[in-house]
Amino acid sequence: MKVFVLIFLTLLTACSVQQAKVASPTPTPIPLIPVMEDQIPKPPIEEEEIQLPETDRNKDAVAKKLEDYFDRREIKPSLIIENDYDGARKERVEEIKVSNHKITWFHSLEASELKIDDDLITLEDKSSLNNPNGSDKINGKIVNNWDKIKLFNVKGRKLIGIEIRHDFCTGLMCSVTFFLVYDLKTKSSNFFGDFRIDKEVRLYDFGKNRTIDFLSTTNDFTYTPGFEITHIYNFYTLDKKGVFRLQKDNRRKPFFIKRVFSSDNDEEFENKFEQSWIEKIK
């Protein structure tokens, strides 16, 4: 009897365990979250040295070389006066004191005139010695106000340089500058012009031969797609009479520096740089 009871209890326990297994709920599957490719951590990449093309590494080499050269040869002014004109109406007559000299500017819509001490200078009939825009000169009739005045004390002489522009310019006219370089000793007036290259009146000593030189500029281009812009530099030397003369080599050709730029991005074509100068620019 005891054996029978033991067998019965064993069978009953086995059935209970089997039922418990059957009744156990099926586990809920864990959803898979997609991982984007850029979220997967990647091993660090060793940096490689980027070798720039030669033209990209040195594309400003010509500009730097010329900037250094011109800076070494420049004659610095002893006094600079800037016009503080703010657009308000000016008196017709304006007096500017330049050291122990006086400049009187007569403002007019018809013709601009000025006096340096007692010397009256009319701009309307004056033209630039150089050709700032291709083969064209700049005439004093298109400017009407001074922008900056510089006094130079150099080699026993005094010169006044004046940058002149138009107050109410539009378009390309805003890129035009008319220069007056005046020799106080001989009372001689010299006029130059610039178009989109250098708006500053500067004096130099090229060749380091104790001369007073002016660097003239020419901006030469044509309005066509993908055109090139050429900047040409010449220089003039002041003679004993106070007149600037264009300087030429022994073949009677003007000394020059030529630079060529792209109209698309203003990048300079270094392989088109040329110089036939009084000294080798390195």
Side-chain angles (χ1 to χ4, degrees):
M1 183 66 180
K2 289 181 180 181
V3 173
F4 177 77
V5 171
L6 181 60
I7 294 173
F8 176 75
L9 290 175
T10 300
L11 292 176
L12 182 63
T13 302
C15 291
S16 299
V17 170
Q18 187 68 24
Q19 287 178 356
K21 287 183 180 180
V22 174
S24 176
T26 303
T28 305
I30 300 174
L32 296 177
I33 302 174
V35 179
M36 304 301 293
E37 184 177 353
D38 59 359
Q39 294 177 332
I40 301 175
K42 299 179 181 180
I45 300 176
E46 295 184 1
E47 295 185 359
E48 297 180 0
E49 182 180 355
I50 300 175
Q51 297 292 333
L52 295 175
E54 191 71 20
T55 54
D56 288 340
R57 286 204 306 269
N58 299 322
K59 71 177 183 179
D60 294 327
V62 170
K64 183 67 168 60
K65 175 171 64 176
L66 291 179
E67 181 182 342
D68 291 344
Y69 171 76
F70 290 144
D71 186 65
R72 292 194 306 269
R73 298 294 184 267
E74 185 176 355
I75 300 170
K76 304 298 183 181
S78 59
L79 177 65
I80 300 176
I81 301 173
E82 296 192 31
N83 195 341
D84 59 358
Y85 176 54
D86 58 1
R89 182 178 178 180
K90 283 187 174 182
E91 297 296 330
R92 186 182 185 282
V93 180
E94 180 185 9
E95 293 186 352
I96 307 106
K97 184 176 176 59
V98 184
S99 184
N100 58 340
H101 300 276
K102 182 177 70 174
I103 296 177
T104 306
W105 192 279
F106 302 95
H107 293 277
S108 171
L109 296 177
E110 298 175 358
S112 292
E113 293 181 330
L114 69 149
K115 269 187 181 180
I116 298 180
D117 293 330
D118 293 324
D119 189 11
L120 180 64
I121 303 169
T122 301
L123 299 180
E124 184 180 19
D125 58 347
K126 304 300 189 300
S127 294
S128 59
L129 290 169
N130 63 318
N131 300 326
N133 182 18
S135 59
D136 298 330
K137 296 182 179 297
I138 290 178
N139 191 280
K141 67 173 62 176
I142 66 174
V143 294
N144 69 351
N145 199 8
W146 70 277
D147 189 70
K148 190 179 295 184
I149 297 172
K150 296 181 180 180
L151 176 66
F152 299 89
N153 289 283
V154 52
K155 300 176 178 63
R157 303 178 79 162
K158 285 186 177 182
L159 294 100
I160 289 178
I162 307 178
E163 301 164 16
I164 311 170
R165 300 192 181 91
H166 199 289
D167 272 339
F168 307 104
C169 63
T170 57
L172 295 176
M173 268 295 301
C174 297
S175 300
V176 171
T177 309
F178 198 53
F179 302 113
L180 166 59
V181 183
Y182 184 85
D183 182 17
L184 286 162
K185 181 179 179 180
T186 61
K187 297 186 177 181
S188 300
S189 300
N190 299 268
F191 296 93
F192 296 93
D194 178 82
F195 180 62
R196 305 179 77 177
I197 297 181
D198 188 359
K199 296 182 178 181
E200 291 281 335
V201 57
R202 307 177 197 269
L203 297 180
Y204 297 89
D205 179 6
F206 296 124
K208 294 186 290 188
N209 51 2
R210 296 188 60 80
T211 59
I212 300 174
D213 304 318
F214 185 92
L215 183 69
S216 70
T217 58
T218 299
N219 193 337
D220 197 6
F221 60 94
T222 55
Y223 290 102
T224 56
F227 64 88
E228 294 180 353
I229 303 171
T230 302
H231 291 177
I232 300 174
Y233 304 83
N234 304 111
F235 77 92
Y236 293 71
T237 297
L238 190 72
D239 65 15
K240 293 181 179 180
K241 296 181 179 180
V243 178
F244 278 96
R245 307 288 184 184
L246 179 64
Q247 296 304 292
K248 301 178 181 180
D249 60 22
N250 54 14
R251 296 171 297 173
R252 307 305 301 164
K253 292 185 177 181
F255 291 107
F256 74 87
I257 296 170
K258 186 172 79 171
R259 306 171 67 186
V260 182
F261 301 83
S262 168
S263 63
D264 295 329
N265 53 17
D266 293 329
E267 183 175 341
E268 183 166 3
F269 299 111
E270 291 196 6
N271 60 334
K272 295 187 178 184
F273 172 75
E274 295 181 39
Q275 62 169 308
S276 176
W277 205 241
I278 191 172
E279 57 188 340
K280 185 70 174 179
I281 303 174
K282 299 179 181 180

